[in-house]
Amino acid sequence: MEEMEEELKCPVCGSFYREPIILPCSHNLCQACARNILVQTPESESPQSRRASGAGVSDYDYLDLDKMSLYSEADSGYGSYGGFASAPTTPCQKSPNGVRVFPPAMPPPPTHLSPALAPVPRNSCITCPQCHRSLILDDRGLRGFPKNRVLEGVIDRYQQSKAAALKCQLCEKVPKEATVMCEQCDVFYCDPCRLRCHPPRGPLAKHRLVPPAQGRVSRRLSPRKVSTCTDHELENHSMYCVQCKMPVCYQCLEEGKHSSHEVKALGAMWKLHKSQLSQALNGLSDRAKEAKEFLVQLRNMVQQIQENSVEFEACLVAQCDALIDALNRRKAQLLARVNKEHEHKLKVVRDQISHCTVKLRQTTGLMEYCLEVIKENDPSGFLQISDALIRRVHLTEDQWGKGTLTPRMTTDFDLSLDNSPLLQSIHQLDFVQMKVAWFAFDPGSAHSDIVFSNDNLTVTCSSYDDRVVLGKTGFSKGVHYWELTIDRYDNHPDPAFGVARMDVMKDVMLGKDDKAWAITEGGITKGATIGVLLDLNRKTLTFFINDEQQGPIAFENVEGLFFPAVSLNRNVQVTLHTGLQVPDFYSSRASIA
């Protein structure tokens, strides 16, 4: 249950939701938090003025976020609301859990009404702090958003399960911890009081005794609240609009905007969506089980790498000692290289363990939350969030797709030592084969706007224009493979990935001149992994996205000295992964050729 806690917290205040409302984007906010992040827009942008001008407008108009420049990951936590030419600048701040939100343009007037009933300034706009979609409120203000009663119920049950132990209600002095609750008497008993006041005989023998936690939940579950329409507050939800995917009342069907829409019985749709959510959870549960097994595999790999490292070091020391004093100077250098590979393998596997653990925790939390939602007996409340939950479950299942549960590192050390050279050749002693190369981005040759972190393995940019950064290591022969993961991807930037010569232009997109070869399109999103395979033996350059080859060979007749290269702007951040094996299928194909 603890892994579900993040699902129950408001993205603005970071606390458990209080009187949550559902935004049109399916995300939730506390009523008070929603009011706190309202922004007043100019009169010319209000729905009334746009209707008067003849422009089509819905009750909630989404704004063009690209033009508004409402949000930027690369700033220091402050921005400006620049969507309207005449609007005053309003600072953007971070909530306790790190989400950027927009405070009101001016302090709200004092009022004794609840956040939902208090008057909202005219032409108010609210931006969802999770998906950053903006909308202009109509005359109903926050009352136009439905309340998420299912989420309230889940939070109540969760908080009750975390609360302190219940006490007996019949102890005369210091109350003892309750052990049972009688559902008919509605009283909590400790064992002595139960035997004294509620003996299991006579009429009391038919009473049902339950654990205290279960009894506390049953108190809160009944009676069920009746759901009312947000447009007609005196009417209860009675049908489900298939087109709008929301519960509606009879008045909506007779005179509202749903009059010409297809509707179905509320109870039937409630059962259907519960069934769909349950089926979706079955698939996600299988993925979570595979992830747990995968984590066990990764942890075993850590142990195997440790054992292989010890074994390899012992062998290396024995070989070096056999060459007496002449080999001692070289031995230290070789050990350093072995330790470097050892640490790299551990780092790659541990990073993958950490990433998979976080993803599994999020998946488990979503599963527990969905299971709690399924327990809810409120059809309309359930249907208000079921579509979004079903989509989230399918999306989360897709994130456990191909390649996610595959180790990114082998346990073998691809090194071997040839001790046959004569003593006069000791100074040339080196590992016969080193299949992989480690390198980072090069600050010395990069554009001055490039921002480095993570030991020069992660880069972003301080400019909105494209800037180029190269890797430290250049290649002129052999087969080399490296990957880059997209850590941030905002407002559809155009990053480019590939190789370039040392004298490539650093202030234009990679590939715009004749000194670089790159990929710029094709399924690049946040979380994607771009693989670059440079085969200088065959003079080819091939690209992969999420382990899928992007078409045939991208470039041929590639000759010369090339450096790994990336071009990006401030809306994107990437991390470099090196020391990787060439994909198995490519190695097999190359050996056949």
Side-chain angles (χ1 to χ4, degrees):
M1 291 283 286
E2 293 182 358
E3 294 174 328
M4 181 178 62
E5 187 166 309
E6 290 304 315
E7 296 279 344
L8 310 180
K9 290 186 177 181
C10 174
V12 176
C13 64
S15 303
F16 287 112
Y17 286 104
R18 295 181 295 274
E19 299 182 332
I21 59 176
I22 308 174
L23 300 181
C25 58
S26 299
H27 292 126
N28 301 286
L29 286 177
C30 302
Q31 280 188 350
C33 294
R35 184 172 184 83
N36 287 340
I37 64 174
L38 290 178
V39 174
Q40 194 166 0
T41 63
E43 184 71 25
S44 60
E45 295 290 339
S46 68
Q48 294 85 352
S49 63
R50 293 179 62 183
R51 290 191 185 98
S53 64
V57 63
S58 64
D59 288 339
Y60 297 101
D61 292 337
Y62 283 104
L63 307 178
D64 187 343
L65 286 181
D66 289 340
K67 296 179 180 178
M68 290 173 64
S69 300
L70 283 175
Y71 177 80
S72 171
E73 284 280 0
D75 60 21
S76 58
Y78 293 90
S80 63
Y81 184 88
F84 309 98
S86 58
T89 299
T90 306
C92 165
Q93 298 178 345
K94 286 184 179 179
S95 68
N97 60 350
V99 177
R100 288 178 173 83
V101 297
F102 293 94
M106 58 187 67
T111 177
H112 300 290
L113 300 176
S114 68
L117 299 178
V120 172
R122 290 189 61 191
N123 310 331
S124 293
C125 168
I126 189 171
T127 299
C128 175
Q130 291 182 279
C131 65
H132 312 298
R133 296 179 69 182
S134 296
L135 53 97
I136 299 175
L137 276 62
D138 63 10
D139 295 336
R140 295 173 296 172
L142 297 179
R143 290 184 293 106
F145 300 119
K147 295 182 179 179
N148 194 337
R149 289 176 288 101
V150 171
L151 179 57
E152 283 186 292
V154 173
I155 292 174
D156 285 344
R157 292 197 294 271
Y158 179 79
Q159 290 179 321
Q160 289 165 7
S161 68
K162 301 278 287 185
L166 291 170
K167 301 297 182 180
C168 175
Q169 294 176 280
L170 298 182
C171 289
E172 295 181 355
K173 296 181 180 179
V174 180
K176 298 180 181 179
E177 182 176 341
T179 57
V180 295
M181 174 201 172
C182 176
E183 289 188 335
Q184 285 71 31
C185 302
D186 197 20
V187 175
F188 292 94
Y189 298 94
C190 64
D191 285 335
C193 291
R194 176 178 58 82
L195 296 174
R196 186 179 73 252
C197 304
H198 200 289
R201 59 180 180 270
L204 297 179
K206 299 181 180 180
H207 288 197
R208 183 168 180 260
L209 301 180
V210 297
Q214 180 180 341
R216 175 168 52 187
V217 171
S218 63
R219 279 182 167 183
R220 301 298 299 269
L221 287 181
S222 80
R224 191 176 71 193
K225 296 180 181 179
V226 178
S227 175
T228 59
C229 178
T230 55
D231 294 326
H232 311 98
E233 297 181 356
L234 300 180
E235 297 291 335
N236 296 336
H237 287 146
S238 55
M239 301 293 287
Y240 180 80
C241 177
V242 177
Q243 182 173 337
C244 300
K245 297 184 178 181
M246 61 181 296
V248 295
C249 67
Y250 277 112
Q251 194 169 346
C252 289
L253 301 178
E254 292 177 359
E255 59 187 46
K257 59 183 179 181
H258 306 278
S259 58
S260 60
H261 295 176
E262 179 187 359
V263 295
K264 292 187 177 181
L266 197 65
M269 294 302 294
W270 173 44
K271 293 179 180 178
L272 175 62
H273 281 223
K274 272 199 172 185
S275 174
Q276 291 176 349
L277 182 56
S278 297
Q279 293 175 4
L281 280 175
N282 289 336
L284 186 59
S285 177
D286 293 339
R287 291 295 185 180
K289 182 179 179 180
E290 293 175 8
K292 291 179 181 178
E293 296 172 352
F294 179 60
L295 284 173
V296 172
Q297 178 185 355
L298 291 177
R299 293 188 177 100
N300 291 337
M301 287 181 64
V302 172
Q303 179 64 26
Q304 189 64 42
I305 290 174
Q306 297 278 18
E307 294 174 358
N308 288 353
S309 174
V310 172
E311 179 181 353
F312 191 85
E313 288 183 17
C315 178
L316 179 61
V317 170
Q319 290 178 340
C320 291
D321 288 345
L323 298 177
I324 317 175
D325 297 336
L327 295 178
N328 286 334
R329 294 186 299 272
R330 193 65 175 169
K331 178 177 66 176
Q333 299 176 12
L334 297 176
L335 280 173
R337 293 174 63 178
V338 173
N339 287 329
K340 184 177 180 181
E341 181 173 8
H342 167 211
E343 294 299 326
H344 173 71
K345 285 179 177 289
L346 290 180
K347 182 178 185 302
V348 171
V349 176
R350 285 169 176 163
D351 287 348
Q352 194 170 11
I353 289 176
S354 175
H355 175 74
C356 189
T357 300
V358 172
K359 185 177 289 188
L360 177 60
R361 186 182 301 113
Q362 295 171 347
T363 299
T364 305
L366 177 59
M367 290 170 54
E368 292 177 352
Y369 173 57
C370 291
L371 291 174
E372 290 299 321
V373 169
I374 290 177
K375 297 177 185 177
E376 193 62 32
N377 294 324
D378 179 6
S380 61
F382 179 85
L383 291 172
Q384 287 176 331
I385 63 173
S386 57
D387 279 300
L389 283 179
I390 292 170
R391 289 194 301 271
R392 285 186 62 191
V393 168
H394 286 305
L395 179 61
T396 303
E397 182 181 0
D398 292 339
Q399 291 176 352
W400 289 105
K402 180 179 178 183
T404 308
L405 302 182
T406 302
R408 302 176 66 88
M409 180 57 63
T410 65
T411 59
D412 297 329
F413 281 71
D414 299 309
L415 303 169
S416 61
L417 187 66
D418 184 1
N419 59 357
S420 61
L422 299 175
L423 290 178
Q424 58 267 30
S425 302
I426 288 178
H427 68 281
Q428 297 177 347
L429 185 64
D430 201 348
F431 290 114
V432 172
Q433 185 177 24
M434 186 176 68
K435 292 185 178 180
V436 296
W438 298 283
F439 59 90
F441 288 115
D442 183 14
S445 62
H447 193 281
S448 58
D449 290 338
I450 296 294
V451 179
F452 294 84
S453 60
N454 188 26
D455 295 328
N456 297 335
L457 293 175
T458 300
V459 292
T460 184
C461 182
S462 60
S463 171
Y464 283 109
D465 297 321
D466 292 305
R467 300 293 186 246
V468 172
V469 57
L470 303 180
K472 274 193 172 183
T473 302
F475 304 109
S476 60
K477 60 182 179 179
V479 182
H480 308 278
Y481 179 75
W482 62 93
E483 292 181 344
L484 302 109
T485 54
I486 309 298
D487 304 327
R488 192 179 71 248
Y489 191 89
D490 300 331
N491 299 329
H492 307 290
D494 293 315
F497 309 89
V499 297
R501 301 192 188 278
M502 178 59 75
D503 56 346
V504 66
M505 296 176 63
K506 306 297 195 308
D507 55 358
V508 297
M509 180 184 291
L510 200 67
K512 292 294 185 181
D513 60 7
D514 60 353
K515 303 295 178 63
W517 294 258
I519 182 175
T520 59
E521 300 291 342
I524 297 178
T525 60
K526 180 179 179 181
T529 299
I530 293 84
V532 183
L533 179 58
L534 178 63
D535 187 346
L536 291 168
N537 296 336
R538 302 171 63 190
K539 304 178 182 179
T540 61
L541 180 63
T542 309
F543 297 102
F544 303 81
I545 296 182
N546 297 329
D547 296 326
E548 294 289 341
Q549 183 172 337
Q550 299 301 292
I553 294 172
F555 299 99
E556 296 180 318
N557 300 321
V558 180
E559 294 184 85
L561 177 64
F562 296 96
F563 292 82
V566 176
S567 68
L568 69 169
N569 60 29
R570 69 177 299 171
N571 288 323
V572 66
Q573 176 177 296
V574 302
T575 295
L576 175 66
H577 303 276
T578 63
L580 305 178
Q581 301 288 341
V582 174
D584 292 337
F585 75 89
Y586 186 87
S587 300
S588 301
R589 188 173 62 188
S591 62
I592 295 175

